[in-house]
């Protein structure tokens, strides 16, 4: 085990998804271990006051490191840490490595997985088969077009209810990079390319979520402008990801990252629909309709399909900022 291998593991783990791409994970090399820390300054005070999404994001980062370590033949043992937030860094987990791992089958897609917020190609029989192959005890795969359309309507309602909050929109806009000249375009947050917005659409999105929201809402035009029907068209499936209600969201985040990597390994792309899980009415309705047992929690949802467009560069912080002393 060398520090260089640990650095490479951390570099691969930065590909993990995180809410609004805030990238809360920081890593410290402590002799032969890696310590995962949360940069608490990057918490979403409005969108994630209880730190649920931060914990999912940190779990996803930890799982990224576990998968990356397997490429070096290393098995990673993850133990949770508790401790005080020292100058904005909160200890989350320790990863201890031992030899003897074979490469994780998801290693090949770890650096390729990305949110796909563009349109999908009409699903082929192969795409449907890839979607159905994802079925498992913690995910429900919905392929019926009428059920997807019903969930899309539910999503638009849930998403609009969240977007109506001015403080939520302000926080979201803070993490949006609508123009390439934004100094943090390639570093973090949601840039227009990742959101699949043209220059004009990006200007429109900035205005609708900003100064135009109130007048458009008063004219009842805002819901239609924010609706995402286009994103659901041609989706091969909707994936409902549910875990034991009592589970620590950090563990849910580890499993969520694996599920998303499986989507990409199947040749499909996915877009998170957090509003479906975050809105209690939407989540309850989906659980009822799709027979998700009561002691399960809808953690997240993804719409998945075959990407209709080219891949793009991911925005990530450099390793020098993610590795701390
Ligand atoms: C807890 C959590 C919640 C998320 N919620 C949403 C969401 O509601 N809408 C969305 O488009 N992406 C959502 N994402 C995806 C992130 O925005 C995405 O992972 C991040 O921008 C990094 O980009 P990447 O997935 O392409 O690596 C979420 C991710 C996580 C971990």
């Amino acid at each position: 085990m060398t520090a260089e291998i640990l650095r490479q593991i951390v570099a691969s783990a930065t590909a993990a998804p995180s809410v609004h791409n805030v990238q809360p994970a920081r890593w410290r090399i402590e002799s032969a271990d890696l310590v995962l820390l949360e940069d608490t300054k990057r918490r979403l005070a409005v969108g994630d006051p209880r730190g649920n999404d931060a914990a999912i994001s940190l779990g996803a980062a930890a799982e990224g490191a576990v998968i990356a370590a397997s490429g070096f033949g290393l098995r990673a043992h993850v133990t949770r840490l508790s401790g005080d937030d020292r100058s904005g860094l909160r200890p989350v987990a320790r990863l201890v490595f031992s030899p003897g791992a074979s490469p994780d089958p998801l290693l090949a897609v770890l650096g390729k997985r990305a949110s796909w917020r563009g349109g999908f190609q009409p699903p082929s029989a192969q795409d449907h088969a890839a979607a159905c192959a994802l079925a498992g005890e913690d995910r429900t795969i919905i392929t019926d077009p009428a059920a997807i359309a019903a969930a899309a309507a539910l999503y638009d309602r849930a998403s609009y209810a969240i977007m109506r909050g001015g403080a939520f929109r302000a926080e979201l806009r803070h993490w949006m990079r609508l123009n390439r000249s934004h100094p943090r375009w390639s570093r973090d947050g949601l840039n227009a390319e990742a959101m699949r917005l043209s220059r004009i659409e990006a200007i429109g999105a900035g205005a609708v979520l900003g100064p135009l929201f109130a007048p458009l809402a008063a004219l009842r035009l805002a819901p239609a402008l924010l609706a995402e029907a286009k994103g659901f068209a041609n989706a091969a499936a909707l994936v409902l990801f549910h875990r034991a209600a009592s589970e620590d969201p950090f563990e849910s985040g580890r499993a969520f990252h694996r599920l998303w990597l499986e989507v990409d390994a199947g040749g499909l792309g996915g877009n998170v629909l957090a509003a479906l899980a975050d809105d209690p009415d939407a989540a309850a309705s989906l659980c009822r309709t799709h027979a998700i047992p009561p002691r399960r929690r809808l953690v997240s949802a993804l719409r998945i399909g075959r990407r209709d467009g080219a891949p793009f560069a991911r925005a990530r912080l450099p390793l020098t900022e993610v590795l701390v002393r």
Side-chain angles (χ1 to χ4, degrees):
M1 169 65 68
T2 64
E4 180 49 30
I5 289 178
L6 293 175
R7 269 195 293 275
Q8 287 186 40
I9 291 171
V10 172
S12 299
T14 62
S18 65
V19 62
H20 287 8
N21 200 19
V22 305
Q23 301 167 59
R26 297 291 173 271
W27 298 89
R28 182 181 290 140
I29 296 176
E30 280 188 12
S31 58
D33 301 350
L34 279 174
V35 173
L36 172 61
L37 307 138
E38 176 189 6
D39 182 342
T40 54
K41 294 186 294 302
R42 299 175 79 89
R43 276 270 179 105
L44 299 172
V46 184
D48 184 30
R50 282 176 296 124
N52 175 71
D53 289 356
I56 293 175
S57 306
L58 290 159
E63 191 60 26
V66 171
I67 294 169
S70 76
F72 294 97
L74 296 169
R75 212 181 291 280
H77 182 66
V78 182
T79 48
R80 296 302 306 279
L81 298 175
S82 56
D84 290 340
D85 176 346
R86 282 214 202 137
S87 52
L89 291 177
R90 186 180 66 85
V92 174
R94 176 179 293 274
L95 276 66
V96 178
F97 301 94
S98 56
S102 39
D104 192 301
L106 297 173
L107 180 62
V109 283
L110 180 62
K112 294 189 188 141
R113 182 217 54 84
S115 296
W116 179 255
R117 301 186 181 87
F120 297 117
Q121 293 175 26
S124 63
Q126 185 198 343
D127 298 339
H128 273 133
C132 291
L134 294 166
E137 63 172 14
D138 63 0
R139 57 297 278 273
T140 300
I141 314 297
I142 305 168
T143 52
D144 170 35
I148 294 177
L154 210 54
Y155 173 77
D156 280 340
R157 273 203 299 279
S159 178
Y160 185 68
I162 294 169
M163 290 285 183
R164 280 173 64 180
F168 180 90
R169 290 197 311 280
E171 190 177 61
L172 175 61
R173 286 176 70 218
H174 171 76
W175 287 98
M176 282 165 70
R177 287 82 176 92
L178 296 171
N179 194 303
R180 272 183 194 278
S181 63
H182 193 292
R184 302 187 74 87
W185 171 275
S186 315
R187 291 170 51 86
D188 57 13
L190 303 161
N191 70 34
E193 197 172 35
M195 292 186 286
R196 307 309 292 157
L197 297 175
S198 67
R199 279 183 75 163
I200 300 286
E201 287 167 334
I203 294 168
V208 172
L209 294 176
L212 289 186
F213 189 88
L216 287 169
L219 292 169
R220 296 176 192 272
L221 290 172
L225 283 168
L226 293 171
E228 285 202 27
K230 223 173 80 187
F232 285 88
N234 290 334
L238 189 69
V239 183
L240 303 180
F241 175 64
H242 49 89
R243 301 281 294 182
S246 57
E247 184 175 72
D248 179 343
F250 175 86
E251 293 303 327
S252 312
R254 291 186 64 180
F256 183 56
H257 192 184
R258 293 194 72 84
L259 163 63
W260 200 343
L261 291 169
E262 284 178 48
V263 171
D264 282 62
L268 304 178
N271 182 14
V272 180
L273 306 165
L276 286 178
D278 294 346
D279 181 285
D281 292 340
S285 164
L286 283 170
C287 289
R288 228 178 10 252
T289 309
H290 298 285
I292 294 172
R295 276 193 289 276
R296 308 287 291 174
R297 181 170 80 100
L298 185 65
V299 175
S300 195
L302 286 162
R303 67 176 171 228
I304 63 171
R306 187 161 297 274
R307 296 177 178 86
D308 191 10
F312 49 88
R314 68 169 85 247
R316 286 297 188 273
L317 296 171
L319 187 57
T320 46
E321 287 180 37
V322 171
L323 266 177
V324 297
R325 289 182 182 276

